[in-house]
Amino acid sequence: MAAVYKALSKSAHDKDDAPADGSSSVKPRNKQRVLMLTSRGVTYRHRHLLKDLASMMPHGRVDAKYDQKKRLGELNELAVRLNCIIATISAFLKLGKVKLSKAPNGPTCKFLVSNIHTMEELAFSGNCLKGSRPILSFDKTFDTEPHLQVIKQLFLQIMGVPPLQKRSKPFIDHVLSFSVADGRIFLRVYQVQETETTKKDGADGEEVAEESKKRKSKHADQTKELDISLLEIGPRCVLQPIIIQEGSFGGALLYENKHFVSPNQVRADLRRKGAAKGNSRAEQNISRKSKMGNLGLRTDGDQKPVDQLDSRELFA
């Protein structure tokens, strides 16, 4: 019964607020959302990072894990079915890679995620309102390179909360900072902290004492100022661009980072280096044993040195 009364009262209120010319004054809601999901095999650190990002994005939609690792084009159909204009896959596989794409036409940016620090690990004292809109701050370097301009526009459309979004709050109390250094993008989150500072215009201490006694002109001799500062709240991560594709999760290659070294290659080089050390040691051991055998000091295995006066050696 309460639900029926609420619906009827809402419809009556809308009729009363409607203008006389019959035009609609209700502002349309923005239904643009971001699809966020992971692949199988992610670690707890990547899962907590995705959870922290989803808590800061009121227009985000977290879905179940995606089993496929190759046929990522099916995510476009999933985004359309879930009414998500922008599809974001956080494919944190064993290598810690992430793909950001705008469905259904692209582009797609692939990054390597490193130096991950979640909000629980940092345990900063700052806090922000859940569902508030952030301020996106970009370094000047983003306007110098073409691939950084594409990445900037993709971050603006994904991380920026659209106006009149259903779950967003009309407050701005945190900043998302994107800075470029050494070919990598550093992501930091700060809270906008406002503190009131009182400035008194009285010159002498006696006048201040009289003012505190009389309590008449309190606001006349005092001026309140707001001291705005930034307090980091987390999370942190570093993104290294790998490639940029024209389409959504596929298409022509627009950019490739020539300085990128895959973690697979790094691990393979370390294993190869360790194997080379083992092979050199084995070769040194074999050459040492052969030299000792030629000198008659040692035979194969762990036997005793050969006696030159032995009858088997004399009458061999």
Side-chain angles (χ1 to χ4, degrees), residues 28-36 57-61 79 82-88 101-103 133 136 153-168:
R29 288 288 182 180
N30 194 328
K31 297 183 180 181
Q32 177 179 344
R33 290 185 296 177
V34 176
L35 178 62
M36 307 177 67
M57 300 171 61
H59 62 303
R61 179 189 177 96
L82 296 177
N83 196 17
C84 297
I85 298 178
I86 301 177
T88 304
S101 175
K102 181 180 179 182
R133 299 182 62 190
L136 302 182
Q153 291 298 326
L154 194 60
F155 280 145
L156 285 173
Q157 297 181 19
I158 292 179
M159 305 299 294
V161 180
L164 301 178
Q165 215 279 335
K166 182 177 180 181
R167 297 181 180 178
S168 63

Side-chain angles (χ1 to χ4, degrees), residues 12 23 26 38 57 80 87 96 118 131 135 152 156 179-180 213 233 243 261 290 307:
S23 61
V26 180
T38 62
M57 300 171 61
V80 173
T118 61
I135 298 176
K152 177 181 178 181
L156 285 173
S179 57
V180 180
K213 292 181 181 179
I233 59 178
I243 58 173
V261 180
S290 63
D307 188 5

